[in-house]
Amino acid sequence: MIWQTTRHAIDLARPRVMGIVNVTPDSFADGGAHATATQALAHCERLVREGADILDIGGESSRPGALPVSVADELARVLPVLRGALTLGVPVSVDTCKPEVMRAALALGADIVNDILALQAPGALDAVASHPTCGVCLMHMRGVPGSMQGDVRYGDVVAEVTAFLAARAKALRDRAVDARRIVLDPGIGFGKLAGHNLELLRRQRELLAPGYPLLVGWSRKSTLGVLTGKAVGDRLAASIAAALAAVDNGAAIVRVHDVAETVDALEVWRAARDNDASTDAVHEPPPYP
Ligand code: HH2
């Protein structure tokens, strides 16, 4: 399978790593760490050196209770970083719900629109559908970030998320968007309790039924804190385990903060699964130790 994006056709035969670049003061895991354009671009360069296959730039936190950001502020955060990131040789995604930001980013040459609202904002479907080739990630969320953890009830969470994502993909297909441009995401932690997130992981292959590749983001999220008792800054091992479990259960792309560590883990996971390890070193005597 490939993911068709503005400039790159991303081969999904091996799992891909999307590196997170939050140009925000308040993101849940790294708020303020890359809040200026210079810091954020340096972070983009670092993630590419570490092996990121895709960069995902966001200018608005979606953590529970996050304050909304105006279009003007989001544009001022995202566009300067996007401009630089587009020169780094990897596909660049923009994490936004706002059609104005989507259009401006696509006009600059962004490869992918990553929308946690799955293009439900008025004008968002058109912003993507009117572009000839950009990729899009449609994510499931129950409620809105300000209140999404308030009242969380599902009958069958996997069936409900699958049906929602299939319907959002159909809305794009009805506007003549090529299926190869579309990727789906169950939205780990977005209007879901830990039990819902874990059920989505255990039964993740059911989410493949609509026929689109899956992107998942477990990195540093609170369900990992529930499982391990660890604070957000101490969830690296848990995040890697979740990323491996996700690719093992059919995810094509993992969205992560810790790119270098995830790339290493996936290299070993892949060598255990496939007989095509990417290095000739496997045919030489191993160095000691
Ligand atoms: N998670 C976050 C943001 N955007 N997009 C997709 N497709 N899938 C996700 O799971 C996802 C996402 C939240 O993580 P982060 O960007 O680190 O935090 P914040 O929203 O606080 O900036």
Side-chain angles (χ1 to χ4, degrees):
M1 258 188 182
I2 65 152
W3 187 7
Q4 180 60 53
T5 74
T6 302
R7 301 172 302 163
H8 302 258
I10 305 171
D11 180 2
L12 300 178
R14 72 175 177 86
R16 298 291 171 177
V17 174
M18 173 185 261
I20 301 171
V21 182
N22 285 321
V23 198
T24 58
D26 57 348
S27 287
F28 82 95
D30 57 357
H34 327 291
T36 70
T38 311
Q39 288 168 331
L41 194 53
H43 191 58
C44 291
E45 288 166 0
R46 175 181 163 180
L47 297 187
V48 171
R49 275 197 307 276
E50 291 181 350
D53 298 297
I54 305 166
L55 293 172
D56 187 36
I57 301 173
E60 178 174 38
S61 171
S62 54
R63 74 183 157 77
L67 292 174
V69 175
S70 71
V71 171
D73 286 350
E74 196 175 325
L75 287 171
R77 289 178 185 181
V78 167
L79 294 189
V81 184
L82 173 63
R83 212 172 271 119
L86 286 168
T87 68
L88 299 180
V90 299
V92 184
S93 156
V94 173
D95 186 350
T96 187
C97 314
K98 298 190 181 72
E100 298 89 339
V101 178
M102 293 174 194
R103 285 186 184 278
L106 291 171
L108 266 190
D111 294 286
I112 297 162
V113 170
N114 171 28
D115 186 359
I116 63 169
L117 275 184
L119 306 180
Q120 291 179 101
L125 270 176
D126 282 335
V128 168
S130 62
H131 190 280
T133 52
C134 75
V136 58
C137 176
L138 303 171
M139 198 198 80
H140 175 273
M141 168 163 49
R142 173 69 63 81
V144 290
S147 60
M148 64 185 173
Q149 296 303 99
D151 180 20
V152 186
R153 265 176 268 180
Y154 293 89
D156 179 338
V157 67
V158 180
E160 286 172 49
V161 168
T162 306
F164 170 85
L165 292 174
R168 297 311 298 158
K170 182 170 184 306
L172 276 177
R173 299 281 293 128
D174 288 347
R175 288 169 194 240
V177 171
D178 192 304
R180 285 169 301 185
R181 294 171 56 187
I182 303 171
V183 158
L184 306 180
D185 181 338
I188 298 305
F190 286 87
K192 299 169 186 89
L193 305 178
H196 297 130
N197 295 319
L198 290 167
E199 185 156 7
L200 284 162
L201 178 56
R202 279 193 296 270
R203 294 171 54 199
Q204 192 184 262
R205 284 189 185 276
E206 293 174 42
L207 294 163
L208 295 170
Y212 299 95
L214 283 183
L215 184 155
V216 282
W218 274 89
S219 188
R220 303 185 188 175
K221 285 193 177 159
S222 64
T223 297
L224 303 176
V226 171
L227 292 174
T228 62
K230 295 279 170 65
V232 67
D234 295 322
R235 295 179 189 158
L236 173 60
S239 299
I240 291 172
L244 292 182
V247 295
D248 216 36
N249 287 350
I253 304 127
V254 286
R255 182 180 180 277
V256 306
H257 299 89
D258 302 291
V259 166
E261 294 85 350
T262 309
V263 166
D264 279 358
L266 283 173
E267 196 61 40
V268 175
W269 176 86
R270 222 163 66 80
R273 191 197 59 167
D274 300 341
N275 189 18
D276 70 339
S278 60
T279 164
D280 290 341
V282 293
H283 303 299
E284 290 163 14
Y288 186 82

Short mmCIF file of all heavy atoms in Angstrom, two decimals, residues 20 22 24 26-30 56 60-63 95 114-116 137 139 185 187-188 190 215-219 221 255 257, ligand 1:
data_model
loop_
_atom_site.label_atom_id
_atom_site.label_comp_id
_atom_site.label_asym_id
_atom_site.label_seq_id
_atom_site.Cartn_x
_atom_site.Cartn_y
_atom_site.Cartn_z
N ILE A 20 6.53 14.08 16.01
CA ILE A 20 5.64 15.15 16.46
C ILE A 20 6.43 16.44 16.69
O ILE A 20 7.44 16.44 17.39
CB ILE A 20 4.95 14.76 17.79
CG1 ILE A 20 4.14 13.47 17.60
CG2 ILE A 20 4.10 15.91 18.32
CD1 ILE A 20 3.61 12.88 18.92
N ASN A 22 5.38 20.02 18.09
CA ASN A 22 4.35 20.89 18.67
C ASN A 22 4.89 22.30 18.84
O ASN A 22 5.75 22.54 19.69
CB ASN A 22 3.90 20.34 20.02
CG ASN A 22 3.00 19.13 19.88
OD1 ASN A 22 2.16 19.09 18.97
ND2 ASN A 22 3.17 18.15 20.74
N THR A 24 3.78 24.91 20.30
CA THR A 24 2.74 25.35 21.24
C THR A 24 3.37 25.60 22.61
O THR A 24 4.38 25.00 22.95
CB THR A 24 1.68 24.24 21.44
OG1 THR A 24 2.36 23.08 21.92
CG2 THR A 24 0.95 23.89 20.16
N ASP A 26 1.59 24.78 25.29
CA ASP A 26 0.78 24.03 26.26
C ASP A 26 0.49 22.59 25.87
O ASP A 26 -0.43 21.97 26.42
CB ASP A 26 -0.55 24.77 26.47
CG ASP A 26 -1.32 24.98 25.18
OD1 ASP A 26 -0.75 24.77 24.10
OD2 ASP A 26 -2.49 25.38 25.26
N SER A 27 1.26 21.98 24.94
CA SER A 27 0.99 20.58 24.60
C SER A 27 1.23 19.69 25.80
O SER A 27 2.08 20.00 26.65
CB SER A 27 1.87 20.14 23.43
OG SER A 27 1.40 20.74 22.25
N PHE A 28 0.52 18.55 25.85
CA PHE A 28 0.50 17.78 27.11
C PHE A 28 1.86 17.18 27.46
O PHE A 28 2.18 17.03 28.63
CB PHE A 28 -0.58 16.68 27.06
CG PHE A 28 -0.16 15.43 26.35
CD1 PHE A 28 0.35 14.36 27.07
CD2 PHE A 28 -0.24 15.32 24.98
CE1 PHE A 28 0.74 13.19 26.43
CE2 PHE A 28 0.15 14.17 24.32
CZ PHE A 28 0.65 13.10 25.06
N ALA A 29 2.67 16.86 26.45
CA ALA A 29 3.93 16.16 26.75
C ALA A 29 5.16 17.03 26.61
O ALA A 29 6.18 16.76 27.23
CB ALA A 29 4.07 14.93 25.85
N ASP A 30 5.08 18.04 25.75
CA ASP A 30 6.28 18.82 25.44
C ASP A 30 5.96 20.30 25.26
O ASP A 30 6.66 20.99 24.54
CB ASP A 30 6.96 18.26 24.18
CG ASP A 30 6.03 18.25 22.97
OD1 ASP A 30 4.84 18.62 23.15
OD2 ASP A 30 6.46 17.90 21.88
N ASP A 56 5.11 15.98 11.66
CA ASP A 56 3.74 16.46 11.88
C ASP A 56 3.80 17.72 12.73
O ASP A 56 4.11 17.67 13.91
CB ASP A 56 2.92 15.38 12.60
CG ASP A 56 1.45 15.73 12.69
OD1 ASP A 56 0.92 16.34 11.74
OD2 ASP A 56 0.82 15.39 13.72
N GLU A 60 -1.71 23.99 17.74
CA GLU A 60 -2.78 24.09 18.74
C GLU A 60 -2.81 22.79 19.54
O GLU A 60 -2.95 21.71 18.96
CB GLU A 60 -4.14 24.31 18.08
CG GLU A 60 -5.28 24.36 19.08
CD GLU A 60 -6.63 24.72 18.46
OE1 GLU A 60 -6.90 24.26 17.32
OE2 GLU A 60 -7.39 25.44 19.10
N SER A 61 -2.69 22.88 20.85
CA SER A 61 -2.77 21.67 21.67
C SER A 61 -4.19 21.13 21.66
O SER A 61 -5.15 21.88 21.66
CB SER A 61 -2.35 21.98 23.10
OG SER A 61 -2.62 20.85 23.92
N SER A 62 -4.29 19.80 21.69
CA SER A 62 -5.61 19.16 21.76
C SER A 62 -5.78 18.41 23.07
O SER A 62 -6.66 17.58 23.20
CB SER A 62 -5.76 18.19 20.58
OG SER A 62 -4.67 17.29 20.56
N ARG A 63 -4.91 18.72 24.05
CA ARG A 63 -5.04 18.00 25.32
C ARG A 63 -6.38 18.37 25.97
O ARG A 63 -6.92 19.46 25.71
CB ARG A 63 -3.86 18.33 26.24
CG ARG A 63 -3.94 19.69 26.84
CD ARG A 63 -2.73 20.00 27.69
NE ARG A 63 -2.58 21.44 27.79
CZ ARG A 63 -3.30 22.22 28.57
NH1 ARG A 63 -4.22 21.71 29.34
NH2 ARG A 63 -3.11 23.53 28.57
N ASP A 95 -0.97 19.44 11.51
CA ASP A 95 -1.98 18.95 12.44
C ASP A 95 -2.91 20.11 12.78
O ASP A 95 -2.57 20.98 13.59
CB ASP A 95 -1.23 18.45 13.70
CG ASP A 95 -2.14 17.77 14.71
OD1 ASP A 95 -3.37 17.85 14.56
OD2 ASP A 95 -1.60 17.19 15.67
N ASN A 114 -3.48 16.54 8.76
CA ASN A 114 -3.81 15.62 9.85
C ASN A 114 -4.85 16.30 10.72
O ASN A 114 -4.56 17.28 11.39
CB ASN A 114 -2.54 15.33 10.66
CG ASN A 114 -2.84 14.56 11.95
OD1 ASN A 114 -3.83 13.82 12.01
ND2 ASN A 114 -2.01 14.74 12.96
N ASP A 115 -6.09 15.78 10.69
CA ASP A 115 -7.18 16.49 11.37
C ASP A 115 -7.82 15.61 12.44
O ASP A 115 -8.47 14.61 12.12
CB ASP A 115 -8.23 16.93 10.34
CG ASP A 115 -9.31 17.79 10.98
OD1 ASP A 115 -9.26 18.03 12.20
OD2 ASP A 115 -10.22 18.22 10.24
N ILE A 116 -7.68 16.03 13.69
CA ILE A 116 -8.29 15.27 14.80
C ILE A 116 -9.82 15.36 14.77
O ILE A 116 -10.49 14.61 15.44
CB ILE A 116 -7.74 15.73 16.17
CG1 ILE A 116 -8.08 17.18 16.46
CG2 ILE A 116 -6.24 15.49 16.27
CD1 ILE A 116 -7.81 17.61 17.90
N CYS A 137 -5.09 12.53 7.05
CA CYS A 137 -5.34 11.59 8.15
C CYS A 137 -6.62 12.01 8.86
O CYS A 137 -6.72 13.14 9.35
CB CYS A 137 -4.17 11.57 9.14
SG CYS A 137 -4.50 10.50 10.56
N MET A 139 -9.05 11.43 11.95
CA MET A 139 -8.99 10.85 13.29
C MET A 139 -10.35 10.86 13.97
O MET A 139 -11.12 11.80 13.79
CB MET A 139 -7.96 11.61 14.15
CG MET A 139 -7.53 10.83 15.38
SD MET A 139 -6.75 11.88 16.63
CE MET A 139 -8.22 12.58 17.40
N ASP A 185 -7.33 7.00 11.72
CA ASP A 185 -6.69 6.99 13.05
C ASP A 185 -7.77 6.88 14.12
O ASP A 185 -8.70 7.71 14.14
CB ASP A 185 -5.89 8.30 13.21
CG ASP A 185 -5.15 8.41 14.53
OD1 ASP A 185 -5.52 7.73 15.49
OD2 ASP A 185 -4.21 9.22 14.60
N GLY A 187 -7.71 7.64 17.17
CA GLY A 187 -7.72 8.75 18.12
C GLY A 187 -7.55 8.30 19.56
O GLY A 187 -8.44 8.53 20.41
N ILE A 188 -6.41 7.70 19.84
CA ILE A 188 -6.15 7.21 21.20
C ILE A 188 -6.18 8.38 22.19
O ILE A 188 -5.50 9.39 21.99
CB ILE A 188 -4.77 6.49 21.24
CG1 ILE A 188 -4.77 5.28 20.31
CG2 ILE A 188 -4.40 6.10 22.69
CD1 ILE A 188 -5.89 4.27 20.53
N PHE A 190 -8.75 10.38 22.80
CA PHE A 190 -9.66 11.48 22.45
C PHE A 190 -11.10 11.05 22.73
O PHE A 190 -11.76 10.43 21.91
CB PHE A 190 -9.50 11.86 20.98
CG PHE A 190 -8.24 12.63 20.70
CD1 PHE A 190 -7.04 11.97 20.43
CD2 PHE A 190 -8.23 14.01 20.72
CE1 PHE A 190 -5.88 12.67 20.18
CE2 PHE A 190 -7.07 14.73 20.47
CZ PHE A 190 -5.89 14.06 20.20
N LEU A 215 -3.03 4.97 11.09
CA LEU A 215 -2.03 5.73 11.82
C LEU A 215 -2.49 5.73 13.29
O LEU A 215 -3.68 5.91 13.55
CB LEU A 215 -1.97 7.15 11.25
CG LEU A 215 -0.94 8.15 11.76
CD1 LEU A 215 -0.67 9.20 10.67
CD2 LEU A 215 -1.35 8.85 13.03
N VAL A 216 -1.57 5.52 14.22
CA VAL A 216 -1.98 5.58 15.63
C VAL A 216 -0.97 6.35 16.46
O VAL A 216 0.23 6.32 16.19
CB VAL A 216 -2.19 4.19 16.27
CG1 VAL A 216 -3.49 3.58 15.86
CG2 VAL A 216 -1.04 3.28 15.99
N GLY A 217 -1.48 7.03 17.48
CA GLY A 217 -0.64 7.84 18.35
C GLY A 217 -0.84 7.46 19.80
O GLY A 217 -1.81 7.88 20.44
N TRP A 218 0.11 6.66 20.31
CA TRP A 218 0.06 6.27 21.73
C TRP A 218 1.07 7.05 22.55
O TRP A 218 1.08 6.98 23.78
CB TRP A 218 0.38 4.77 21.87
CG TRP A 218 -0.79 3.89 21.70
CD1 TRP A 218 -1.25 3.37 20.53
CD2 TRP A 218 -1.68 3.44 22.71
NE1 TRP A 218 -2.37 2.60 20.75
CE2 TRP A 218 -2.65 2.64 22.08
CE3 TRP A 218 -1.75 3.62 24.09
CZ2 TRP A 218 -3.68 2.02 22.79
CZ3 TRP A 218 -2.77 3.02 24.80
CH2 TRP A 218 -3.73 2.23 24.15
N SER A 219 1.94 7.81 21.86
CA SER A 219 3.14 8.35 22.50
C SER A 219 2.82 9.16 23.76
O SER A 219 2.11 10.17 23.70
CB SER A 219 3.88 9.22 21.47
OG SER A 219 5.13 9.61 21.96
N LYS A 221 0.87 8.95 26.11
CA LYS A 221 -0.52 9.27 26.48
C LYS A 221 -0.91 8.66 27.83
O LYS A 221 -0.26 7.77 28.35
CB LYS A 221 -1.46 8.85 25.35
CG LYS A 221 -1.35 9.85 24.20
CD LYS A 221 -2.43 9.74 23.18
CE LYS A 221 -2.25 10.85 22.14
NZ LYS A 221 -2.93 10.54 20.89
N ARG A 255 2.66 7.73 15.34
CA ARG A 255 2.94 9.15 15.59
C ARG A 255 3.59 9.25 16.97
O ARG A 255 2.95 8.91 17.96
CB ARG A 255 1.62 9.92 15.53
CG ARG A 255 1.74 11.43 15.72
CD ARG A 255 0.36 12.09 15.64
NE ARG A 255 0.45 13.52 15.82
CZ ARG A 255 0.51 14.13 17.00
NH1 ARG A 255 0.47 13.44 18.11
NH2 ARG A 255 0.60 15.45 17.06
N HIS A 257 6.70 11.08 19.85
CA HIS A 257 7.63 12.15 20.25
C HIS A 257 9.08 11.67 20.15
O HIS A 257 9.96 12.44 19.80
CB HIS A 257 7.36 12.56 21.70
CG HIS A 257 5.98 13.09 21.96
ND1 HIS A 257 4.91 12.28 22.29
CD2 HIS A 257 5.49 14.36 21.91
CE1 HIS A 257 3.83 13.03 22.45
NE2 HIS A 257 4.16 14.29 22.23
N1 HH2 B 1 -2.67 13.02 19.17
C1 HH2 B 1 -2.41 14.30 19.49
C2 HH2 B 1 -2.46 15.30 18.53
N2 HH2 B 1 -2.73 15.02 17.23
N3 HH2 B 1 -3.22 13.43 15.57
C3 HH2 B 1 -3.46 12.15 15.22
N4 HH2 B 1 -3.71 11.84 13.93
N5 HH2 B 1 -3.46 11.13 16.14
C4 HH2 B 1 -3.20 11.36 17.47
O1 HH2 B 1 -3.24 10.41 18.27
C5 HH2 B 1 -2.95 12.70 17.87
C6 HH2 B 1 -2.97 13.73 16.87
C7 HH2 B 1 -2.05 14.65 20.91
O2 HH2 B 1 -0.66 14.56 21.09
P1 HH2 B 1 0.32 15.83 21.08
O3 HH2 B 1 0.33 16.48 19.72
O4 HH2 B 1 1.65 15.44 21.58
O5 HH2 B 1 -0.28 16.79 22.16
P2 HH2 B 1 -1.08 18.16 22.07
O6 HH2 B 1 -2.34 17.90 21.33
O7 HH2 B 1 -1.30 18.51 23.52
O8 HH2 B 1 -0.22 19.15 21.33
#
